[in-house]
């Protein structure tokens, strides 16, 4: 079951990692300008902040969360297909952006929504190692996705790359549908039975069912946010991950600019992102058990990530930038694994889906903010943009360390 889960996760996340570059390549090929594709990508990103909590409610209340996850994958793939077809057919950009916004509501299903189902597959005894493997799937996707787009787009164009991306999302559907159902009995410490409408519950009935249903959804969304805010460990991990992700976005935006400055071409800059992903993959393979010291690993990983970004900012040669990217990846990989371990350990069982999808939405929003801020900074001075990204990693470490120390002293 775990093997099937991992195969589906790698397929879905690689398809997701391919979608952005494929849309950019398609937009450039059709219009000659990145403006259309960038507006579509902005729509996909922004709406995730709204979609995450709502998806969490659906997953937590579902008798078959895998089935809900499958429908989300199908909807996301269908939305991407409509956007790509619209680009090729010269549909107005405003219409495509609107489709992207609706599609983006389902985006957190590919990240937090999928990971939230891991305890159903692995069980408590294997959860630590399974969490490391799950976070490695992000690194694999980060490596394979852009590389596949480059190869396929060179051979068959951006539309073909986008179609392969959609095909990978569709190929993940059987794994999603095959996920097991949760135990209807309340687990110890999970805060009670599953909400009404979940396994063993009943849905609102009667003429005001729609109104009652929305009230339930609203209360469930609030419960998910309360679960994060009220738990000190979970709150610190979430806030720190948001700050760190904002800084990581600055690295992603700056990498092509740095590559162009050091090598004369932007292509080698994109390879720096692959080096970061590879560093994370190797580090996670070495440090496959982090659940016991998750909070400490998250802080240490964030510090190493920041140190690598500083090396990139100070690089005078391309190979020095490669070393910095490898160091950054060595921190980013375990950092993500530790974050997942904290969520699995601290989230109430009946709200686990909401905690994961809400956390994913908050990180996606932070990434969007960091990307927007990094553009002008990188255009002015790429080293300054990278140092800003490193400073945000230091701030994230401070969130993890200072508040935990204050809690011990209190």
């Amino acid at each position: 079951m775990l093997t099937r889960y991992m195969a589906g996760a790698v397929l879905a996340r690689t398809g997701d990692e391919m979608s952005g570059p494929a849309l950019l390549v398609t937009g450039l090929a059709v219009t000659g300008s990145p403006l259309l594709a960038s507006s579509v990508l902005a729509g996909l990103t922004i709406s995730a902040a709204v979609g995450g909590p709502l998806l969490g409610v659906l997953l937590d209340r579902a008798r078959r969360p895998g089935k809900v996850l499958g429908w989300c994958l199908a909807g996301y793939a269908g939305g991407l297909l409509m956007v790509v077809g619209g680009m090729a057919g010269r549909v107005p950009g405003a219409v495509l952006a609107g489709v992207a916004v609706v599609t983006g509501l389902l985006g957190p299903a590919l990240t937090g929504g999928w990971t939230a189902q891991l305890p159903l597959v692995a069980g408590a005894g294997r959860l630590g190692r399974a969490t490391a493997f799950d976070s490695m799937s992000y690194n694999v996707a980060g490596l394979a996705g852009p590389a596949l787009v480059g190869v396929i787009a060179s051979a068959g164009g951006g539309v073909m790359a986008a179609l392969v991306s959609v095909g990978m999302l569709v190929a993940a559907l059987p794994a999603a549908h095959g996920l097991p159902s949760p135990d209807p009995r309340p687990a110890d410490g999970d805060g009670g039975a599953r909400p009404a409408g979940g396994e063993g519950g009943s849905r609102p009935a009667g003429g005001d069912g729609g109104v009652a249903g929305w009230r339930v959804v609203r209360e469930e969304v609030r419960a998910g946010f309360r679960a994060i805010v009220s738990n000190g460990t979970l709150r610190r991990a979430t806030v720190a991950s948001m700050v760190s992700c904002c800084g990581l976005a600055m690295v992603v935006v700056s990498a092509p600019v740095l590559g162009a400055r050091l090598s004369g071409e932007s292509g080698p800059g994109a390879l720096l992102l692959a080096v970061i992903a590879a560093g994370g993959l190797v580090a996670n393979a070495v440090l496959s058990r982090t659940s016991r010291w998750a909070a400490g690993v998250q802080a240490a990983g964030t510090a190493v990530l920041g140190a690598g970004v500083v090396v990139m900012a100070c690089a005078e040669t391309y190979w020095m930038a490669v070393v910095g990217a490898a160091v950054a990846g060595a921190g980013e990989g375990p950092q993500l694994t530790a974050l997942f371990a904290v969520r699995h350990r601290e989230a109430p069982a009946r709200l686990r889906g909401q905690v994961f999808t809400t956390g994913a939405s908050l990180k996606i929003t932070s990434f969007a903010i960091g990307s927007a801020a990094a553009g002008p900074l990188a255009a002015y001075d790429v080293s300054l943009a990278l140092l800003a990204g490193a400073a945000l990693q230091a701030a994230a470490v401070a969130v993890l360390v200072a508040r935990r120390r204050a809690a011990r002293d209190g």
Side-chain angles (χ1 to χ4, degrees), residues 119-335:
L120 301 178
V121 177
R126 295 190 298 167
L127 187 57
R129 182 174 290 274
T131 298
F133 286 143
D134 188 53
S135 65
M136 287 168 67
S137 73
Y138 289 90
N139 300 130
V140 171
L143 269 171
L148 284 172
V149 170
V151 172
I152 296 171
S154 298
V159 173
M160 180 61 69
L163 292 177
V164 173
S165 169
V166 170
M168 285 195 168
L169 295 173
V170 173
L173 286 174
H177 281 287
L179 289 172
S181 300
D183 190 335
R185 296 168 298 178
D188 293 339
D190 72 351
R194 293 176 65 82
E199 183 69 26
S202 60
R203 302 185 186 279
D208 64 342
V211 175
W214 275 113
R215 288 174 180 168
V216 170
V217 169
R218 183 178 61 190
E219 288 304 314
E220 288 296 309
V221 170
R222 289 178 177 175
F225 276 102
R226 281 198 299 267
I228 294 175
V229 174
S230 62
N231 183 307
T233 301
L234 195 54
R235 182 178 63 248
R236 285 191 294 272
T238 300
V239 173
S241 71
M242 292 170 61
V243 176
S244 177
C245 194
C246 186
L248 187 60
M250 294 187 167
V251 179
V252 171
V253 172
S254 300
V257 183
L258 180 64
R261 192 190 76 178
L262 296 177
S263 69
E265 299 178 2
S266 60
L271 290 177
L272 293 174
L273 300 179
V275 172
I276 293 175
L281 184 62
V282 172
N284 274 334
V286 174
L287 304 172
S288 60
R289 293 183 182 273
T290 60
S291 59
R292 185 176 177 182
W293 307 282
V297 171
Q298 187 181 2
T302 305
V304 172
L305 170 58
V309 176
V310 170
V311 173
M312 293 175 68
C314 299
E316 294 296 332
T317 66
Y318 179 73
W319 291 109
M320 183 180 293
V322 169
V323 171
V327 172
E332 193 269 340
Q335 176 207 52

Side-chain angles (χ1 to χ4, degrees), residues 371-401:
S371 299
L377 277 177
Y380 176 74
D381 188 335
V382 67
S383 294
L384 180 62
L386 287 167
L387 289 174
L392 286 171
Q393 306 309 321
V397 173
V399 169
L400 290 165
V401 175

Side-chain angles (χ1 to χ4, degrees), residues 25-114:
V25 172
T26 303
L28 281 171
V30 171
T31 67
S33 169
L35 182 60
L36 174 61
S38 63
S39 64
V40 169
L41 289 177
L44 282 170
T45 302
I46 292 171
S47 58
V50 177
L54 297 178
L55 279 176
V57 173
L58 289 175
L59 290 168
D60 285 334
R61 290 172 57 81
R63 291 182 174 87
R64 292 283 308 277
K67 190 173 182 179
V68 175
L69 189 60
W71 280 114
C72 291
L73 284 171
Y76 196 79
L80 289 177
L81 194 60
M82 291 174 63
V83 170
V84 173
M87 283 183 174
R90 301 298 182 97
V91 172
V95 175
L96 295 180
V99 174
V101 168
V102 175
T103 303
L105 294 171
L106 305 175
L110 280 66
T111 52
W114 198 291

